Amino acid sequence: MDRRWRGQQGQDALHSLRSFYEYKDSLPVLSRDWLCAAAADVYSTYSCLHAAGTETDVMCSSGSSFWYLQVVSKLDAKRASDGTEPGSDAGQDIVVPVSASYTRLTPAFLSSLLDLSPLDPPCVALAIVDSDGTVVLNRLSRGIHAPAEGFTGTDTLGTGKRARGGERQQKQPRQQ
């Protein structure tokens, strides 16, 4: 079993993970045959984010040529179901799954992905999915920016955190 499912958060998420076939049937229909990720790649990305404690809505691009995930934190989703006002940054994180074997990953395509982002400056997460289901998340933005504070993967997705940089922490010496 993969590491992401071994922690308590992963164990809790495992019980609410949708099956592949149920998830595949819920995917919007693409009008063009220009897939940068197959349904299995989108599902791998969904399960990776789900294990990290986030909820996602799957969408398709305006040209209906690829799928992407809109991330909503579980906290914001819980608030919305309670009828209270969700966080102002809910639904602003965009994750685009891309198969590691996709050969048409051009600068023009990457630039078009930034048009999906409601943020200013635009920023999306690119989820590179290997054939074994391994998902690597990379932030994609226009220009050069300092990384989000504490960004180490899925920990800031859905939180709306966009802090610039962060203080460097000194390593603590090991106690023997």
Side-chain angles (χ1 to χ4, degrees), residues 118-136:
L119 300 172
D120 188 18
C123 178
V124 297
L126 198 61
I128 307 295
V129 185
D130 203 357
S131 60
D132 66 355
T134 303
V135 178
V136 177

Side-chain angles (χ1 to χ4, degrees), residues 6-140:
R6 292 189 184 179
Q8 185 60 42
Q9 185 176 8
Q11 288 294 314
D12 294 341
L14 185 59
H15 300 294
S16 60
L17 183 70
R18 295 166 60 189
S19 74
F20 170 72
Y21 295 106
E22 179 186 344
Y23 191 79
K24 182 182 172 206
D25 290 342
S26 73
L27 291 174
V29 177
L30 299 179
S31 63
R32 293 174 38 193
D33 207 18
W34 188 56
L35 294 173
C36 59
D41 300 321
V42 179
Y43 183 78
S44 292
T45 304
Y46 153 74
S47 65
C48 174
L49 296 172
H50 189 78
T54 59
E55 290 187 9
T56 58
D57 291 329
V58 67
M59 318 286 263
C60 64
S61 65
S62 59
S64 297
S65 57
F66 62 90
W67 292 296
Y68 66 93
L69 301 164
Q70 189 172 20
V71 177
V72 179
S73 72
K74 284 202 174 197
L75 176 61
D76 288 337
K78 183 179 183 307
R79 282 189 207 148
S81 67
D82 290 345
T84 58
E85 189 71 25
S88 60
D89 293 321
Q92 291 192 350
D93 280 310
I94 302 294
V95 180
V96 181
V98 177
S99 173
S101 62
Y102 183 65
T103 58
R104 293 184 242 161
L105 198 61
T106 63
F109 175 71
L110 292 174
S111 182
S112 72
L113 296 180
L114 292 171
D115 294 336
L116 298 171
S117 176
L119 300 172
D120 188 18
C123 178
V124 297
L126 198 61
I128 307 295
V129 185
D130 203 357
S131 60
D132 66 355
T134 303
V135 178
V136 177
L137 292 169
N138 299 288
R139 280 253 184 232
L140 179 66

